[in-house]
Every structure is written in C-alpha cells, then in structure tokens.
Amino acid sequence: MQETITKVCSVSTIKKMKETYQSQLVKTPPYAVFQAKKSGVTITAYESGKVVFQGVDARDETNKWSGEIKEKKESATTKNSPLPKDFDTWSVVGSDEVGNGSYLGPVVVCATYVEHKHMALLKELGVKDSKMLTDKDIRRIAKEIIHVIPYKRLTVTPEKYNDIQPRYNVNRMKVALHNQAIYLLLKEIAPIKPEGILIDQFTPEANYRKYLKQEQHPVTSPLYFTTKGEQYHLSVAAASIICRAEFLEELDKASSELGFTVPSGAGAASDMAAAKILKQGGLSLLNKYAKLHFANTKKAQAIFNR
C-alpha cells in the first residue's frame, strides 16, 4: 500500500542522506535539497528540514533513519483540535473569505482542494495562516499555488454587495458564497470526492445549515466547521491566501482608478478615503467602492459636509 511519511531532520542528517542516496538521486524539485528514487520509495528532502518518504516501502525506509530523525512533537493545536484525528492529513476542500469587515473593497470567497500528495509542496511554497504573512508574501504565494491545486474564487464587488445586502444579512450572504464556491469546485474535480469539507466558521453550524436550505445547490456533506480553520488544514490556509491576494489586487485597481490609496479596514483612514470619493462623484461613485450600510458612510458624509 502506498504510504507518505514526513519527518523533520537536521541539516547534518539531510547531508548524510544525500550522500547515502548519491547513486539514486534524480532531478531536484523546487525548494528541495535532493530527491532520490529507490525501488518502492521516493525520498525528498526540503530546505525547511522536512523529509518526505513516499511509496509502498516508505515505512521501512523511514525506519532505517530512526536513530537520526527527530520526532515531531504534537502541538497544542493538534491536541485540542475539534476535528477528527489526523484531519490535517486528509484530502480536503477548505473555504475562507476576505473583505467582509472592510468598508472599501470587495468580499472575496475561495474554496480550494488540497490532496495529501500536495501538502509537502504547499508547505515549501510557504502556505500557512495568512495573518502570519506579509502582503508581499501573500501575493507571491498565491501566484504559485493557483498552479498547484484546484480552486474556485468568487469576488463580490461593492456595487454588487450593495445590491444584494438589503435582501441578505451578512451571514446569509456568506453562506451563499461559501456554498457556491464549494459546489463549483466539487463539480470541477468530479468524480474525485474529498474526505472532508472544512469551512472557516463564521456562524454556528445550525445557523449555516438553516441558510443552506435556501440555496439552489446546497452542499450538505461531509461538512466540518471550526474557527481559525487555516490552523487545522492547508486547504483553508491556501483559500485564505488566494482570497487576500485578490482583495489586495482589487484595492490596487480602485486606487489606480481614484488617484489615491484606497485602504482596507473600517477605521478613520477609510472614512477619509470615502469622503474623497464623495467629493469626486457623490454617493453614486461611493457605491462602486464601499459597502454603504457600514457606519463609515455617515462618518464620510459628515467629513465631506464640513
């Protein structure tokens, strides 16, 4: 049976491995120190210190290095996970959204499918909680991972958001978007079926499922929910990165169109930017760039009317 085992090794151990597998070395993949192929197993050592053994003899080969390999300690995140055991190794569809709390800019929702076989490469590319990454890193990583994994991204412009918002409260809108992204992605990867679907939780599961009943193509199973989902599976982390990169691109586009920097968030800087937009073209122009039901609209109008 095919098996994949990942271990953490020191620089000296990886050097020793490379010397041991010298006659079996093959072309080195990106972000790797070496890759070797033996009968029944492929060994890939990455710059991060991770060594991946893949194949029917993966466990036997790993055991040969048992005296050299450091055992990975179980993290508090793993111990306290609300998800099934080893969920982080499953092949999973994960979804996340960006922009919902920002007055200016769109709402972007993305679903990705991350198979177990892609996890080592995604980690090497830098996929992790987007809150731990700079905007520059997010843009770079997003450009790379969209060529590695299947994904479906939906972008709701402020103008579209303002059209929908009176009929949909925030949670219902987000349920509709997450469900649509997941549904379209599942159609794209069919007949493959993920072992799980993880949604970065923004409302209680019962509430999510209540709104789900109103959707034309509800995806009801196998759904899992947890807050900080990017810490529990790479699929949510990847989705978050793709969302954030698109959100940043849209802010850049808006900045270019308006002639000044359009900020994210919902603070004083956003109030000032909105007041400038009002000065340029009134509420009809602001409708193109801002979520009008936010309290920032009244604040911007007060600044404009001073």
Side-chain angles (χ1 to χ4, degrees), residues 64-181:
K64 292 178 182 178
W65 296 95
S66 59
E68 305 271 356
I69 293 173
K70 294 184 289 185
E71 285 303 314
K72 186 178 178 182
K73 293 181 180 179
E74 186 178 38
S75 67
T77 299
T78 304
K79 287 179 182 177
N80 301 323
S81 174
L83 301 167
K85 184 181 178 183
D86 298 326
F87 185 88
D88 62 337
T89 67
W90 291 13
S91 294
V92 166
V93 165
S95 69
D96 200 2
E97 89 282 331
V98 170
N100 185 68
S102 180
Y103 176 54
L104 299 163
V107 173
V108 186
V109 174
C110 182
T112 72
Y113 177 52
V114 173
E115 293 183 85
H116 182 81
K117 66 181 181 181
H118 288 135
M119 290 180 178
L121 176 56
L122 289 178
K123 289 176 182 177
E124 292 308 312
L125 292 174
V127 175
K128 58 183 176 182
D129 184 350
S130 63
K131 297 179 188 68
M132 300 169 64
L133 299 168
T134 65
D135 287 349
K136 183 179 178 180
D137 286 336
I138 284 169
R139 293 178 193 264
R140 173 184 58 79
I141 296 168
K143 286 178 181 177
E144 295 176 323
I145 62 177
I146 59 175
H147 300 296
V148 176
I149 55 173
Y151 72 98
K152 189 59 64 175
R153 183 183 62 212
L154 303 176
T155 302
V156 181
T157 64
E159 197 166 18
K160 182 66 174 175
Y161 179 98
N162 292 329
D163 182 52
I164 297 170
Q165 188 271 325
R167 304 188 306 277
Y168 281 61
N169 66 40
V170 171
N171 283 332
R172 187 185 170 191
M173 189 186 299
K174 288 164 75 172
V175 169
L177 291 169
H178 277 260
N179 180 72
Q180 182 71 354

Side-chain angles (χ1 to χ4, degrees), residues 156-275:
V156 181
T157 64
E159 197 166 18
K160 182 66 174 175
Y161 179 98
N162 292 329
D163 182 52
I164 297 170
Q165 188 271 325
R167 304 188 306 277
Y168 281 61
N169 66 40
V170 171
N171 283 332
R172 187 185 170 191
M173 189 186 299
K174 288 164 75 172
V175 169
L177 291 169
H178 277 260
N179 180 72
Q180 182 71 354
I182 293 166
Y183 169 74
L184 292 173
L185 180 58
L186 291 176
K187 278 185 67 176
E188 185 176 301
I189 66 174
I192 296 171
K193 293 185 178 181
E195 295 174 87
I197 299 170
L198 180 60
I199 295 170
D200 193 48
Q201 191 167 12
F202 53 86
T203 190
E205 180 177 349
N207 207 36
Y208 183 97
R209 292 189 181 275
K210 179 185 73 174
Y211 289 130
L212 195 58
K213 292 175 182 177
Q214 301 175 52
E215 295 305 303
Q216 185 176 0
H217 302 290
V219 179
T220 59
S221 180
L223 292 181
Y224 294 88
F225 302 83
T226 184
T227 55
K228 301 180 180 178
E230 63 275 12
Q231 297 180 12
Y232 294 100
H233 202 277
L234 284 174
S235 59
V236 177
S240 179
I241 288 169
I242 293 172
C243 283
R244 180 68 182 172
E246 175 68 7
F247 179 76
L248 292 171
E249 288 298 316
E250 287 295 313
L251 287 186
D252 286 350
K253 181 181 174 183
S255 299
S256 177
E257 291 170 354
L258 291 166
F260 60 85
T261 300
V262 175
S264 62
S270 296
D271 298 339
M272 294 301 296

